[in-house]
DNA sequence: ATTTATGCAAATCGTTTGCAAACCT
DNA sequence: AGGTTTGCAAACGATTTGCATAAAT
């Protein structure tokens, strides 16, 4: 179903090489961290998980991996840029739940039927504006379980 | 149909005052610039349009106007935060076409029927994750008319 | 050998903050 | 007068860049 580890590495290597770039140890490490994560990671989070990585190399390599379409950038309302593996590498087109409280970003998927419906609507809009569609982005912004006030505070006190 | 200028000012004033804040000349200027714009503006764009505004005041007042729900922040993939009037002030819930070439952000609207359909789908997802939905965000990312290569380059040369 | 990648430190640049003067009410 | 807002300049912090070393081909 989902892409295997070695297959992922092969695909990443192939995309980098068509971009004239090498798949170095640092770049492998970035792909591995992102594969292990279940949500898009900020740069500090990436460095926490692979403390040998130099900050500047992380920035440089994420840019490079983004240009090669191996990873993609996720922006939310908080000050951190996050990164995740490119959707067509993982095979999972997905969207994000974004918590306004703690900044958490969770992935979710919609039915392909509904995705198709979204694309049809957006296609029409794009045409009206002479816009060439590339991808859509649908996020749900709100409060996660931990950040939302409990429904019955008095009950929690008993 | 859409909110009138003075009505907009009244609503802005009222939201600020329930927040214990004044509707000063600088804040009026920000609301006016955003009302005059047809797309979300970056801070440099705002200052260009009202050159008397001090940078620090623009930042401080946009934060304050955002907390009072008079304006809202729009993030795209580029390095600039943009601001627009809060949707419920203008009465137009809308989405954004984001150009990957020049950073342009255009507003568009979907049918209310489709908006409702989106909300239903997202509501279900939110419930699964114990998430309290606040708003959704649906952008179409691609290339605008000016940034997309012409369909028939040779025709353009004649 | 030559090119490319890395790590460190310094520079950059959007944003935030301290503070004294101007502005309300 | 008392509290708030403003503008300037300095501080901040995430990101970028310069450069000398290390690694890859």
């Amino acid at each position: 179903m989902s892409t295997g580890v070695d297959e992922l590495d092969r695909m990443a290597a192939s995309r980098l090489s068509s971009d004239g770039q090498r798949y170095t140890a640092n770049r492998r490490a970035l792909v591995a961290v992102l594969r292990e994560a279940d949500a898009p990671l900020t740069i500090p989070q990436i460095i926490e998980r692979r403390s040998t990585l130099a900050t500047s190399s992380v920035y440089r390599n994420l840019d490079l991996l983004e240009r090669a379409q191996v990873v993609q950038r996720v922006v939310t309302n908080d000050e951190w840029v996050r990164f995740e593996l490119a959707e067509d590498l993982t095979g999972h087109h997905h969207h994000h739940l974004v918590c306004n409280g703690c900044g958490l970003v969770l992935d979710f998927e919609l039915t392909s039927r509904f995705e198709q419906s979204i694309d049809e609507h957006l296609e029409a809009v794009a045409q009206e504006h002479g816009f060439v569609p590339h991808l859509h982005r649908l996020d749900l912004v709100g409060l996660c379980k931990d950040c939302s006030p409990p429904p019955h505070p008095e009950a929690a006190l008993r």
Side-chain angles (χ1 to χ4, degrees), chain A:
Chain A
M1 205 99 304
S2 83
T3 315
V5 175
D6 39 0
E7 194 190 339
L8 184 73
D9 262 338
R10 263 197 304 280
M11 292 173 80
S14 135
R15 289 183 186 202
L16 282 169
S17 106
S18 11
D19 230 39
Q21 301 292 350
R22 301 174 186 162
Y23 195 27
T24 65
N26 275 358
R27 293 169 195 170
R28 280 171 198 276
L30 288 174
V31 169
V33 180
L34 295 180
R35 189 183 49 71
E36 288 159 16
D38 57 339
L41 298 182
T42 65
I43 278 142
Q45 287 172 334
I46 291 171
I47 294 174
E48 264 171 26
R49 286 164 171 72
R50 288 292 190 288
S51 54
T52 60
L53 295 174
T55 308
S56 60
S57 296
V58 171
Y59 279 99
R60 277 194 277 238
N61 284 327
L62 286 173
D63 277 4
L64 195 140
L65 290 167
E66 190 186 19
R67 275 196 296 278
Q69 317 231 53
V70 175
V71 307
Q72 61 197 33
R73 189 176 294 256
V74 176
V75 298
T76 66
N77 277 328
D78 72 13
E79 65 250 71
W80 303 98
V81 178
R82 284 154 215 268
F83 288 87
E84 63 184 7
L85 292 177
E87 290 191 328
D88 62 333
L89 279 190
T90 60
H92 293 302
H93 172 57
H94 66 270
H95 298 281
H96 297 122
L97 292 164
V98 177
C99 177
N100 257 339
C102 61
L104 179 78
V105 178
L106 283 180
D107 294 352
F108 71 88
E109 294 186 32
L110 293 168
T111 61
S112 60
R113 182 162 161 49
F114 189 58
E115 288 289 349
Q116 198 179 316
S117 168
I118 292 173
D119 284 329
E120 282 161 15
H121 283 259
L122 292 182
E123 175 55 47
V125 172
Q127 226 148 34
E128 273 174 48
H129 292 265
F131 207 87
V132 179
H134 181 191
L135 57 91
H136 71 244
R137 202 159 51 188
L138 173 60
D139 302 328
L140 180 62
V141 181
L143 291 174
C144 75
K145 216 172 354 186
D146 295 340
C147 290
S148 57
H152 297 301
E154 59 290 351
L157 290 175
R158 311 216 167 155

